[in-house]
Amino acid sequence: MSDDALSDAATGEGGADGAPAMRRKKDIVDHVANSTGLKKRDVREALDSCFAYVHASLSAGNEIAYPQLGKIRLQVQRPDSANPKTVYRVALAKVSETDEADTAEPLEDDA
C-alpha cells in the first residue's frame, strides 16, 4: 500500500466527492479475516454477534468502554421536542506511539 493510501485509510479521507470514506461491513470482515487467518464466515458471525450485543447494551442505556476504540454512549438530543434525535457519541481512545506500532495495518481503499 502506498504512503498516500495509508494516509487516506488512516484519516478516513478518499471519498469521490471529498467526503470521508465509508467503511462497510465487507471491508471490516475482509480486513479481520486477512489479519487473523479466520474464515470470513466465522468473522462475519462473530462481528454480527458483537455488534448486536453493543446495540442492545446501548439501547438499554449502558455505556460501552473498549480500550482500543474508546467509549460509546447513546444520547437523545432535544428529548422534549416533537422530533427527538438519537445519536451515538464516541470518545475515541488516544493512541500512543507504542500502540500504533502494535496495531494492524489500516484498511485499503477500493480505488
Side-chain angles (χ1 to χ4, degrees):
M1 187 184 317
S2 71
D3 289 339
D4 290 338
L6 276 174
S7 176
D8 289 349
T11 61
E13 296 174 5
D17 58 357
M22 168 93 53
R23 300 295 180 217
R24 306 235 180 247
K25 180 179 178 178
K26 179 188 180 310
D27 300 326
I28 298 168
V29 169
D30 289 346
H31 177 74
V32 172
N34 288 336
S35 66
T36 63
L38 295 171
K39 293 180 182 176
K40 288 183 182 181
R41 181 188 75 228
D42 295 337
V43 170
R44 198 174 305 111
E45 288 175 9
L47 287 174
D48 286 346
S49 177
C50 174
F51 286 119
Y53 179 77
V54 168
H55 183 269
S57 295
L58 290 169
S59 296
N62 297 313
E63 185 175 287
I64 302 293
Y66 196 82
Q68 290 82 2
L69 179 63
K71 291 184 180 181
I72 307 169
R73 66 182 167 92
L74 198 67
Q75 180 178 354
V76 178
Q77 294 179 339
R78 297 175 280 153
D80 298 334
S81 76
N83 297 318
K85 184 177 182 181
T86 303
V87 295
Y88 292 101
R89 293 283 183 204
V90 179
L92 293 177
K94 292 187 170 79
V95 179
S96 69
E97 289 180 24
T98 56
D99 290 340
E100 287 179 3
D102 293 338
T103 58
E105 193 172 297
L107 295 172
E108 292 186 31
D109 287 343
D110 293 334

